[in-house]
Amino acid sequence: MKNDYFIERGMRHLGVAREFADELHQLIGRVTVLEDVTLSEIDLLGTYMPVYEAAPGTPLIVEGEPGDFMVVLLSGSVDVSRRDRSGMPSRIAVVEAGHTLGEMSMIDGEPRFSSCTTLEHTRFAVLTRENLTEVIRAQSAVGSKILVKLVHMLAQRLRNTSMKLVKLSER
């Protein structure tokens, strides 16, 4: 279940998320995608999610690259940035344990919108599109919950962005 993408970029494979169940359980209230998932369902989902560790300064996601996975931060923090018109990186946010990254590209297969680089030693679980599809097939109740949460989360982001655009256009 290892993803060569992460190994090739110098990250260390630590096992599957099920082995980090305690950490995942502690993050339930902070991980939007897992809010409605029971502890036993998280354990099941964890068998489909490899866990990696990255040193500070490691790019987890690179703007413009294709992507078919999302990341759930178990520990550490990540700088999220996007290149401006002159090509310089501009910080969008700093996210910490409990946040997810890369959901859009996992769902739609489009190039990454931003880059995500670790600011400290970071441990994270990975859910690929292929593994999500397998969860939906093999464990439809769990897969459906995850998919509904992802759609809801992305819809909220779209709604928030739309509201910002409306406010900008009213100026």
Side-chain angles (χ1 to χ4, degrees):
M1 188 175 290
K2 290 185 196 177
N3 189 326
D4 290 338
Y5 173 90
F6 298 104
I7 301 295
E8 290 169 2
R9 292 174 185 235
M11 291 168 244
R12 193 168 70 121
H13 181 252
L14 301 176
V16 294
R18 184 178 206 168
E19 297 166 21
F20 297 86
D22 291 341
E23 286 179 64
L24 275 171
H25 294 173
Q26 291 175 7
L27 294 173
I28 285 178
R30 295 171 45 195
V31 181
T32 304
V33 173
L34 301 178
E35 282 177 344
D36 298 329
V37 181
T38 67
L39 295 179
S40 62
E41 289 171 332
I42 287 176
D43 290 343
L44 176 79
L45 182 63
T47 63
Y48 293 90
M49 299 175 69
V51 174
Y52 298 90
E53 185 174 62
T58 303
L60 302 182
I61 292 173
V62 178
E63 179 181 344
E65 286 188 353
D68 68 346
F69 63 86
M70 72 174 219
V71 168
V72 178
L73 296 179
L74 301 176
S75 66
S77 60
V78 173
D79 179 56
V80 181
S81 64
R82 181 163 170 80
R83 296 202 176 277
D84 62 19
R85 290 183 185 141
S86 64
M88 297 301 296
S90 177
R91 178 175 280 168
I92 297 171
V94 172
V95 295
E96 296 178 343
H99 286 84
T100 56
L101 303 165
E103 308 89 352
M104 290 190 312
S105 292
M106 181 187 73
I107 297 293
D108 68 11
E110 293 294 316
R112 298 297 187 175
F113 178 77
S114 60
S115 292
C116 302
T117 305
T118 59
L119 293 171
E120 58 187 309
H121 278 90
T122 302
R123 193 175 356 207
F124 59 96
V126 176
L127 182 61
T128 64
R129 182 183 313 123
E130 180 180 341
N131 284 354
L132 177 58
T133 300
E134 182 59 31
V135 171
I136 292 167
R137 282 190 195 127
Q139 303 291 329
S140 59
V142 178
S144 295
K145 282 182 180 182
I146 299 296
L147 196 54
V148 167
K149 272 313 219 185
L150 281 169
V151 169
H152 179 14
M153 185 173 60
L154 294 173
Q156 281 301 119
R157 287 183 188 166
L158 179 58
R159 185 177 302 278
N160 291 341
T161 301
S162 296
M163 290 303 294
K164 288 177 184 176
L165 288 173
V166 166
K167 287 179 182 177
L168 285 174
S169 69
E170 291 174 346
R171 289 184 180 176

